[in-house]
Amino acid sequence: MIRITVWNEGKHEQEYEDIRLVYPEGIHGCIAGFLKKEEDFIVRTATFYEKEHGLSEEVLQSTDVLIIWSHALQEEFSDAVAERVRRHVLAGMGLVALHSAHYSKILRNLLGTSMTLKWRHGDRERIWCIAPTHPIAAGLPESFELPKEEMYGEYFDIPKPDDVIFLGWFAGGEVFRSGCTFTRGLGKIFYFQPGHEEYPIYYMDPIQQIIRNAVRFCMPAAEVRRELTNKEHPPMEQEN
Ligand code: ZN
């Protein structure tokens, strides 16, 4: 079984009627909804407004893969909770960061660069799968179109990814590394660009397939998950 926590800031859906119409259960509710259809997924949700943003030590200890969506409260997010998430990722917890979570404290702390990019509202995007053998690309077509999405363009200031799986092309001419994997410590990380809150992106089949694949890819093997420590080690022959 894969234990998943879907974390969403949850602010836009409360404040704007038009966004609530797109995501009446919140973005977290929509994502949890399609993930729950998988027999081997155990899914729960959390939002910014819960105590410790719903990401207590206990919750993270029992999470195999954390999915995050954030936008308006990036700076308000607790430094202590961001550090706690970082520690769990280094110890093997998987992380899937969606759309504007590129600029979350969690991702900035883990990846270390400015995470800045170009953006513009309301464009058409075509997503190209440029690593068809990667597990996150399983079952995906060569390309698919998002009729309306926020443009995210290069240069995207990320460290060199392990793999770039999806390349986004926008009708305005820009391109973007839309789906990238990273490893930090023992943890696998997938960043995926689509998912602006005004458009019904997370209802689309290929998007749901990518998120399902990403969860399975980022799931740590049982023997992997452990806190890494700096420790004196005896010569191998003295070990029993
Ligand atoms: Zn957006």
Side-chain angles (χ1 to χ4, degrees):
M1 303 299 280
I2 305 181
R3 300 165 300 173
I4 303 159
T5 301
V6 182
W7 187 88
N8 174 28
E9 199 173 81
K11 180 178 163 75
H12 295 311
E13 300 93 325
Q14 289 181 42
E15 288 186 350
Y16 301 104
E17 178 68 23
D18 52 336
I19 294 167
R20 195 158 53 241
L21 282 171
V22 180
Y23 291 110
E25 315 287 324
I27 286 174
H28 54 296
C30 172
I31 293 172
F34 68 78
L35 292 177
K36 278 178 183 167
K37 292 176 185 164
E38 300 298 293
E39 278 182 6
D40 57 336
F41 286 3
I42 301 169
V43 186
R44 68 184 150 190
T45 62
T47 68
F48 179 91
Y49 299 97
E50 295 168 39
K51 186 168 176 273
E52 300 177 70
H53 305 318
L55 298 173
S56 64
E57 184 64 33
E58 200 181 356
V59 166
L60 294 180
Q61 264 174 22
S62 56
T63 297
D64 297 313
V65 180
L66 175 67
I67 299 176
I68 58 170
W69 192 103
S70 60
H71 180 230
L73 299 169
Q74 315 271 40
E75 300 310 321
E76 288 83 351
F77 193 93
S78 155
D79 289 333
V81 176
E83 174 54 27
R84 181 186 298 153
V85 172
R86 191 183 80 98
R87 182 163 51 77
H88 278 272
V89 171
L90 295 181
M93 183 180 74
L95 177 67
V96 177
L98 299 172
H99 190 57
S100 35
H102 74 89
Y103 208 65
S104 61
K105 270 184 194 170
I106 290 172
L107 214 56
R108 279 185 285 162
N109 289 355
L110 275 161
L111 298 186
T113 50
S114 75
M115 302 302 290
T116 50
L117 45 72
K118 292 194 184 72
W119 61 271
R120 179 177 67 250
H121 280 301
D123 208 332
R124 178 167 56 91
E125 179 177 12
R126 180 163 285 273
I127 304 264
W128 288 92
C129 176
I130 61 167
T133 58
H134 195 283
I136 297 181
L140 269 296
E142 185 178 40
S143 76
F144 62 95
E145 199 164 291
L146 309 178
K148 215 167 186 197
E149 175 54 304
E150 185 174 32
M151 188 283 291
Y152 274 13
E154 299 283 345
Y155 178 63
F156 181 24
D157 184 24
I158 48 175
K160 189 174 177 184
D162 292 346
D163 282 299
V164 180
I165 305 158
F166 301 103
L167 191 67
W169 169 89
F170 293 86
E174 296 86 357
V175 293
F176 191 70
R177 288 168 287 172
S178 291
C180 303
T181 57
F182 305 90
T183 309
R184 286 296 180 270
L186 300 172
K188 289 195 270 187
I189 300 170
F190 179 58
Y191 170 73
F192 190 46
Q193 161 261 317
H196 184 68
E197 68 275 7
E198 291 174 285
Y199 314 127
I201 303 288
Y202 295 119
Y203 295 97
M204 295 179 63
D205 286 340
I207 299 289
Q208 295 187 357
Q209 179 71 24
I210 290 166
I211 294 173
R212 281 193 297 267
N213 289 348
V215 165
R216 294 189 193 284
F217 174 76
C218 292
M219 166 76 183
E223 66 275 15
V224 163
R225 188 137 186 201
R226 64 188 188 278
E227 198 112 14
L228 295 170
T229 54
N230 219 2
K231 60 185 178 192
E232 188 178 0
H233 194 263
M236 295 297 279
E237 64 269 19
Q238 288 178 23
E239 273 189 326
N240 47 27

